[in-house]
């Protein structure tokens, strides 16, 4: 018999990669999905199995981190060997708009899971992974950040996650539960939500290349992030739960990059050279040159003429609506404990991550472009 895992947040970026990874390892995976007015399962549709199939290895349950009765029932019914608590209102900027909900889901939600495991007498069977975050370091007290660096959260999201972190440690110590925190630094992928900065950029760069969009407006260009690939990071989650002893681990690449440089790298990936000029809210980026060979290779001959006409034009501007009331300016992690104890190391560097995201978004946007132009043709035909 393979192991049973329960993943909260299975419809999210990490949930989708982790579900696929665990199924390949022979697990039966149960996932908790919120009810929504649309399916919202695109990231896991390739794993979906009809409920009439026997011995399914992916089973979805409706649930919500704000509903303890429902969580307790699902945990009782599924009797998981491992719980990966990935569900969260995960957008830092949005947490300033929805602070109470964020505290409920991201803070108390963790308590609900731990307490359900305890009340169901599963403490010696069920191992728990809590999705903690580098946002805990906020106004950083040490560079680089490691497991012993003091926390200084800077958003309602990070404060809620701080509660999640400590309640996990407390249940481990109080009830001897196998409960661990992964303190993961930013990780991205083609499945990243469209409103996080990397995906916002790689989508926009693809659309600009195809002539679907003229320019892109951003918030703070100077903050720095330690970005890795989600495919590497979900492996660390798995490894953390395979250890004999529960513990907390920083997962990071050890490299940090500004948002500005991430944007430059993304344009470079398709042969577009941009230059940032001016400062603060007046900062902009202009298209300076087109490397025709790279552009043709990555994007296609058809779009070259139009992009060449944009040389000297504004591609990136700043819009203060994307600024945060309190910002996390610098994140860079030291994952040497994870390397030493888990044998974990990332395979992707930032260039490979950018390349993966841009090539995926170019494909997606081309499809959208094609469907749209096809749609217009049909409309014109009937007019
Ligand atoms: P994500 O793509 O935003 O996915 C979040 C998941 O949580 C989605 O499945 C979402 O469902 C679900 N969810 C939100 N609120 C819920 C609620 N009240 N009840 C049940 N499910 C709920 O996030 P991610 O990037 O995969 O991150 C996974 C976890 O790691 C999160 O806890 C995040 O805070 C944490 N984390 C992420 C990073 C990172 O860089 N990605 C770094 C450190 C920590 P819907 O699909 O219905 O919205
Ligand atoms: N989203 C967004 N949109 N961010 C922007 C923009 C923009 O237009 N312009 C600049 N930024 C800056 C933000 O101000 C922040 O400094 C940085 O880009 C990264 O923002 P996000 O990609 O939204 O991620 P985050 O670092 O705030 O939070 C992510 O990583 C955390 C781990 O450190 C999320 O995945 C969190 O859930 C996660 O805990």
């Amino acid at each position: 018999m393979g192991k049973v895992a329960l993943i909260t947040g299975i419809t999210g970026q990490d949930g989708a990669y982790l579900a696929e990874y665990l199924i390949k390892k022979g697990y039966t995976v149960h996932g908790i999905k919120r009810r929504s007015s649309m399916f919202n399962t695109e990231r896991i549709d390739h794993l979906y199995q009809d409920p009439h199939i026997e011995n399914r290895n992916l089973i979805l349950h409706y649930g919500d981190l704000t509903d303890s009765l429902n969580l307790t029932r699902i945990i009782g019914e599924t009797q998981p060997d491992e719980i990966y608590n990935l569900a969260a209102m995960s957008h830092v900027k949005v947490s300033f708009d929805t602070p109470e909900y964020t505290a409920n889901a991201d803070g108390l939600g963790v308590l609900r899971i731990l307490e359900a495991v305890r009340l169901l007498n599963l403490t010696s069977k069920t191992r728990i992974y809590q999705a903690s975050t580098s946002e805990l370091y906020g106004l950083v007290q040490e560079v680089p950040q490691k497991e012993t660096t003091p926390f200084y959260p800077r958003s309602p999201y990070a404060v809620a996650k701080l509660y999640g972190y400590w309640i996990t440690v407390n249940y481990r110590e109080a009830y001897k539960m196998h409960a661990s925190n992964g303190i993961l630094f930013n990780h991205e992928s083609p499945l990243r939500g469209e409103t996080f900065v990397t995906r916002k950029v790689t989508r926009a760069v693809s659309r600009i290349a195809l002539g679907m969009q003229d320019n892109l407006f951003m918030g703070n260009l100077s903050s720095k992030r330690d970005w890795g690939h989600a495919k590497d990071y979900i492996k660390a989650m798995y490894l953390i739960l395979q250890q004999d002893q529960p513990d907390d681990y920083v997962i990071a690449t050890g490299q940090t990059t500004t948002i500005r440089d991430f944007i430059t790298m993304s344009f470079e990936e398709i042969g577009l050279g941009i230059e940032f000029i001016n400062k603060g809210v007046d900062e902009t980026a202009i298209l300076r040159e087109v490397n025709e060979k790279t552009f043709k290779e990555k994007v296609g001959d058809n779009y070259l003429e139009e992009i060449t006409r944009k040389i000297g034009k504004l591609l990136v501007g700043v819009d203060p609506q994307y600024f945060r009331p309190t910002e996390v300016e610098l994140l860079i992690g030291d994952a040497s404990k994870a390397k030493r104890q888990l044998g974990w190391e990332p395979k992707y560097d930032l260039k490979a991550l950018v390349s993966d995201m841009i090539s995926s978004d170019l494909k997606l946007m081309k499809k959208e472009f094609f469907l749209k132009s096809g749609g217009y043709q049909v409309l014109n035909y009937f007019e």
Side-chain angles (χ1 to χ4, degrees), residues 146-207:
K146 51 182 187 283
E147 290 79 2
T148 50
T149 304
F151 297 138
Y152 193 139
R154 293 269 280 174
S155 62
Y157 166 78
V159 174
K161 284 281 187 179
L162 185 75
Y163 178 84
Y165 174 92
W166 281 116
I167 200 68
T168 301
V169 173
N170 182 244
Y171 269 59
R172 174 166 84 216
E173 292 173 354
Y175 305 117
K176 310 282 170 275
M177 288 169 68
H178 197 297
S180 302
N181 286 288
I183 309 172
L184 270 53
F185 282 61
N186 298 48
H187 45 282
E188 321 293 314
S189 72
L191 297 188
R192 185 56 145 155
E194 290 88 346
T195 61
F196 296 96
V197 76
T198 55
R199 188 75 199 290
K200 178 172 167 177
V201 170
T202 58
R203 282 183 94 243
V205 167
S206 307
R207 293 172 67 85

Side-chain angles (χ1 to χ4, degrees), residues 43 189-216 218 262-263 266-267 270 354 356-366 368-369 372:
R43 291 185 176 111
S189 72
L191 297 188
R192 185 56 145 155
E194 290 88 346
T195 61
F196 296 96
V197 76
T198 55
R199 188 75 199 290
K200 178 172 167 177
V201 170
T202 58
R203 282 183 94 243
V205 167
S206 307
R207 293 172 67 85
I208 289 169
L210 300 172
M212 297 168 77
Q213 180 174 327
D214 289 332
N215 37 44
L216 158 71
M218 305 294 302
F262 184 90
I263 297 171
S266 300
F267 278 110
I270 53 166
V354 169
D356 192 22
M357 291 180 73
I358 289 276
S359 86
S360 163
D361 273 334
L362 270 172
K363 269 193 213 119
L364 275 177
M365 296 308 134
K366 274 186 182 167
E368 192 185 313
F369 184 70
K372 269 199 182 141

Side-chain angles (χ1 to χ4, degrees), residues 161-371:
K161 284 281 187 179
L162 185 75
Y163 178 84
Y165 174 92
W166 281 116
I167 200 68
T168 301
V169 173
N170 182 244
Y171 269 59
R172 174 166 84 216
E173 292 173 354
Y175 305 117
K176 310 282 170 275
M177 288 169 68
H178 197 297
S180 302
N181 286 288
I183 309 172
L184 270 53
F185 282 61
N186 298 48
H187 45 282
E188 321 293 314
S189 72
L191 297 188
R192 185 56 145 155
E194 290 88 346
T195 61
F196 296 96
V197 76
T198 55
R199 188 75 199 290
K200 178 172 167 177
V201 170
T202 58
R203 282 183 94 243
V205 167
S206 307
R207 293 172 67 85
I208 289 169
L210 300 172
M212 297 168 77
Q213 180 174 327
D214 289 332
N215 37 44
L216 158 71
F217 284 89
M218 305 294 302
N220 181 3
L221 295 170
S222 300
S223 59
K224 291 179 153 185
R225 289 293 182 273
D226 177 334
W227 281 297
H229 198 302
K231 277 189 182 170
D232 283 331
Y233 284 44
I234 55 101
K235 291 181 189 160
M237 298 176 187
Y238 167 78
L239 287 171
I240 288 171
L241 289 201
Q242 310 317 306
Q243 303 308 300
D244 290 340
Q245 297 304 321
D247 205 343
D248 308 317
Y249 297 89
V250 160
I251 303 297
T253 68
Q255 303 293 320
T256 194
T257 309
T258 61
I259 310 303
R260 189 180 293 105
D261 286 347
F262 184 90
I263 297 171
T264 304
M265 283 175 78
S266 300
F267 278 110
E268 256 169 26
E269 177 62 25
I270 53 166
L272 303 184
I274 61 166
E275 184 192 359
F276 279 93
I277 52 172
N278 303 327
K279 290 271 170 277
V281 290
D282 296 325
E283 187 164 358
T284 54
I286 308 292
L287 179 61
R288 287 295 182 216
E289 57 185 3
V290 178
N291 178 325
E292 291 192 8
K293 185 169 171 286
T294 309
F295 189 85
K296 278 185 187 169
E297 234 171 65
K298 298 273 166 85
V299 186
D301 295 15
N302 300 352
Y303 310 95
L304 184 62
E305 201 183 314
E306 187 169 348
I307 199 71
T308 310
R309 270 191 259 123
K310 289 193 175 153
I311 290 178
K313 299 249 163 63
L314 178 145
L315 291 193
V316 185
V318 169
D319 182 340
Q321 72 159 307
Y322 299 116
F323 292 164
R324 290 156 187 204
T326 38
E327 174 64 282
V328 173
E329 295 291 351
L330 165 69
L331 291 175
I332 175 166
D334 172 358
S336 35
K337 178 176 168 185
K339 184 174 178 192
R340 209 170 47 246
Q341 294 189 21
L342 306 175
W344 179 86
E345 266 189 294
K347 291 204 167 65
Y348 282 81
D349 64 10
L350 187 57
K351 192 165 172 10
L353 172 67
V354 169
S355 174
D356 192 22
M357 291 180 73
I358 289 276
S359 86
S360 163
D361 273 334
L362 270 172
K363 269 193 213 119
L364 275 177
M365 296 308 134
K366 274 186 182 167
K367 200 167 147 196
E368 192 185 313
F369 184 70
F370 174 76
L371 286 175

